[in-house]
Amino acid sequence: MTVKVIRWGILATGNIAQTFTKDLLVDPATRDVYTVKHTVVAAASSSGVQRAREFLEQVKAPPTARPYGSYIDLAQDPDVDIIYISTPHSHHYQNVRLCLEAGKNVLCEKAFTVNAVQAKELVRLARQKDLFLMEALWTRYFPLSIYVRDTITSGKLGTIIRAFADNSLNFELEKNFHKEHRMVSPDLAGGALLDSGIYALTWIFQSVYTTQPGDTCKPPRVLSSVRKYGATGVDEAATILLSFPRDAQLGGDIHAIATTSFLVSNNIDGKGTSGPAVRIQGQNGELQVWPPLWRPNRTRLILADGTVEDKTFPIPGPGKGSGWYNGYPLVGMNSEGEGYGMFWEADEAGMALLEGRKEGIYESLDESVVIMEVMDEVRKQCGLVYPENIESTVATEL
Ligand SMILES: NC(=O)c1ccc[n+]([C@@H]2O[C@H](COP(=O)([O-])OP(=O)(O)OC[C@H]3O[C@@H](n4cnc5c(N)ncnc54)[C@H](OP(=O)(O)O)[C@@H]3O)[C@@H](O)[C@H]2O)c1
Ligand SMILES: *[C@@H]1O[C@H](CO)[C@@H](O)[C@H](O)[C@H]1NC(C)=O
């Protein structure tokens, strides 16, 4: 069997770029993937070639990988098959655009863009140029997420009626983030909704929207509230009611609540004692998922017939004794040899390139756009605005 080697370029060298790239370089055989392998051929930092060089050393990229001191140089490197973008949300539109225009396939971090108009423009451009484009919603590609969706579509829960999802982490904003930090700065499209609320919406969408056959479930009506962070004016918490129109014969409208907060945690001791963060309810039972919602590893199925089925989904990696560690600085490091879980989305991007597909298999570009539209609506209802230059679709350098 021939193995396709995917040649990645890494655009930006921040926290998640390090986590992603370290995961990317783990042998795919550790997760039973044998059709693709990944290599890093280049990385670019907007802060200069020296930072790009350091980054390549930090992640233990092959010594041949090239450091660049500007994003455009990376976009023009002929040896790069696909570029992973992990700049702040504010910059996604411009950075993705730059790469697509240079003829590169793209995997771009969440939230996909600042608004739906930008997302639609990127989708249009990718389709016009026949390039692969995917929002890096890594959680959708976890075996746990596949199990959740399969359980729902198998009909075990009966007709899906309602779902709850909460993604909340008490960041102690004043203490931990200066006003220019991407989590709270309006100039970098900060705030809970775009950064963390996207995961609550992801769980709602992959539970009740993606699982309904064909076009039987329509984009939701939305009612929302946000709380603003006094120091910068972005949202520090958001609460969203969603009503997904579905035909009466198929069960009628599906209701959902998605919540997110930077003020309270849904996993106080980090061990799940606070209970599940997702509840998906059907007429015959419910499926629960424990926090953290970006990287969950535990589910519980409870059926009306008395069934209670707990499952855990350990995240593979190089394993104990490897001396290898990964994690994410804002939430802490994992135990030795445990992967972070970002390799599954990378595998999907690689397999798409292998098979000539232009979108991710578990979240279409149209769905990414619908989710951006929901976040637009929340922002409109709650008066959450960002500076004009980062809401724009005009090509520019930020
Ligand atoms: N999937 C996940 O679990 C996950 C987790 C965390 C974050 N994310 C997403 O990944 C993105 C980056 O998050 P992060 O935590 O890695 O942020 P970060 O540590 O602040 O890194 C962002 C990087 O973007 C580049 N950048 C370019 N222009 C910038 C500007 N004006 N201000 C600040 N940085 C700028 C910088 O890299 P250079 O200097 O090298 O250009 C910077 O290091 C966000 O979209 C976030 O939502 C995803
Ligand atoms: C599940 O994740 C938690 C951290 O979120 C970790 O402490 C625990 O060991 C993990 N369980 C398994 C089975 O991987």
Side-chain angles (χ1 to χ4, degrees):
M1 188 170 56
T2 52
V3 179
K4 185 170 171 73
V5 177
I6 309 296
R7 300 171 303 170
W8 289 82
I10 308 296
L11 188 151
T13 63
N15 287 316
I16 204 67
Q18 294 177 53
T19 309
F20 174 85
T21 310
K22 284 171 77 178
D23 256 22
L24 186 69
L25 293 169
V26 172
D27 183 355
T30 56
R31 49 189 184 275
D32 291 328
V33 168
Y34 301 100
T35 50
V36 293
K37 282 194 168 172
H38 306 281
T39 190
V40 173
V41 293
S45 173
S46 60
S47 38
V49 70
Q50 185 50 31
R51 174 64 202 131
R53 197 171 288 129
E54 275 166 26
F55 172 85
L56 289 168
E57 279 166 23
Q58 277 167 350
V59 299
K60 299 196 165 63
T64 48
R66 288 181 286 277
Y68 290 117
S70 87
Y71 297 162
I72 189 148
D73 290 345
L74 173 68
Q76 288 171 349
D77 184 324
D79 292 335
V80 169
D81 296 320
I82 180 166
I83 295 180
Y84 169 72
I85 296 177
S86 64
T87 48
H89 314 144
S90 49
H91 288 50
H92 291 176
Y93 173 77
Q94 299 295 348
N95 299 152
V96 174
R97 200 188 155 97
L98 176 81
C99 295
L100 292 174
E101 277 178 347
K104 291 294 188 279
N105 300 297
V106 172
L107 175 65
C108 177
E109 266 306 333
K110 40 59 65 176
F112 202 27
T113 50
V114 174
N115 57 47
V117 172
Q118 290 181 339
K120 281 186 203 160
E121 175 55 17
L122 295 180
V123 172
R124 187 199 63 76
L125 190 59
R127 287 182 181 152
Q128 185 201 8
K129 296 201 162 256
D130 200 28
L131 292 165
F132 173 83
L133 175 63
M134 175 174 139
E135 180 178 5
L137 247 151
W138 60 313
T139 317
R140 292 221 184 200
Y141 295 86
F142 275 41
L144 178 147
S145 288
I146 295 170
Y147 159 77
V148 167
R149 293 187 302 259
D150 285 352
T151 302
I152 295 166
T153 53
S154 76
K156 257 188 204 162
L157 303 179
T159 303
I160 299 300
I161 301 294
R162 187 170 70 171
F164 302 91
D166 176 47
N167 186 35
S168 296
L169 189 60
N170 181 359
F171 276 118
E172 302 180 74
L173 296 178
E174 301 264 352
K175 194 170 101 192
N176 291 317
F177 298 134
H178 54 81
K179 290 183 193 169
E180 285 77 39
H181 194 280
R182 75 160 187 90
M183 295 293 269
V184 294
S185 166
D187 295 337
L188 298 176
L193 177 68
L194 289 188
D195 188 79
S196 302
I198 181 77
Y199 285 108
L201 289 170
T202 291
W203 276 99
I204 296 296
F205 269 78
Q206 72 167 346
S207 304
V208 313
Y209 182 80
T210 323
T211 52
Q212 302 299 307
D215 288 329
T216 52
C217 189
K218 303 283 182 244
R221 293 189 299 275
V222 169
L223 194 61
S224 59
S225 292
V226 308
R227 248 182 83 129
K228 290 196 182 154
Y229 179 46
T232 66
V234 301
D235 63 307
E236 58 187 7
T239 297
I240 311 167
L241 303 183
L242 303 114
S243 177
F244 292 85
R246 181 178 59 180
D247 284 352
Q249 308 94 284
L250 297 168
D253 293 356
I254 305 173
H255 285 185
I257 302 181
T259 56
T260 189
S261 180
F262 284 166
L263 303 172
V264 292
S265 176
N266 64 10
N267 192 11
I268 297 164
D269 62 2
K271 295 179 190 154
T273 311
S274 317
V278 176
R279 298 177 66 189
I280 305 147
Q281 300 177 314
Q283 281 169 329
N284 301 340
E286 98 171 42
L287 185 53
Q288 305 176 329
V289 182
W290 263 255
L293 283 200
W294 57 86
R295 185 177 182 270
N297 64 10
R298 176 176 165 200
T299 61
R300 174 171 291 168
L301 176 70
I302 307 167
L303 299 179
D305 68 7
T307 305
V308 177
E309 204 175 291
D310 287 346
K311 280 173 104 58
T312 52
F313 297 77
I315 298 184
K320 286 218 163 45
S322 59
W324 183 91
Y325 289 86
N326 204 358
Y328 180 69
L330 285 180
V331 292
M333 298 304 276
N334 299 335
S335 54
E336 186 185 15
E338 183 188 338
Y340 200 62
M342 303 190 87
F343 31 59
W344 285 305
E345 67 175 354
D347 293 342
E348 161 54 14
M351 288 183 224
L353 297 193
L354 179 67
E355 294 161 17
R357 287 185 286 109
K358 303 299 168 188
E359 307 193 22
I361 200 163
Y362 298 135
E363 184 179 18
S364 68
L365 288 169
D366 287 345
E367 189 173 350
S368 286
V369 168
V370 170
I371 296 178
M372 286 311 307
E373 284 172 340
V374 168
M375 296 200 285
D376 277 3
E377 179 60 23
V378 172
R379 289 175 49 215
K380 192 171 122 201
Q381 289 179 7
C382 303
L384 187 58
V385 287
Y386 292 117
E388 223 173 281
N389 66 323
I390 67 163
E391 298 261 13
S392 168
T393 55
V394 178
T396 180
E397 269 189 54
L398 290 173

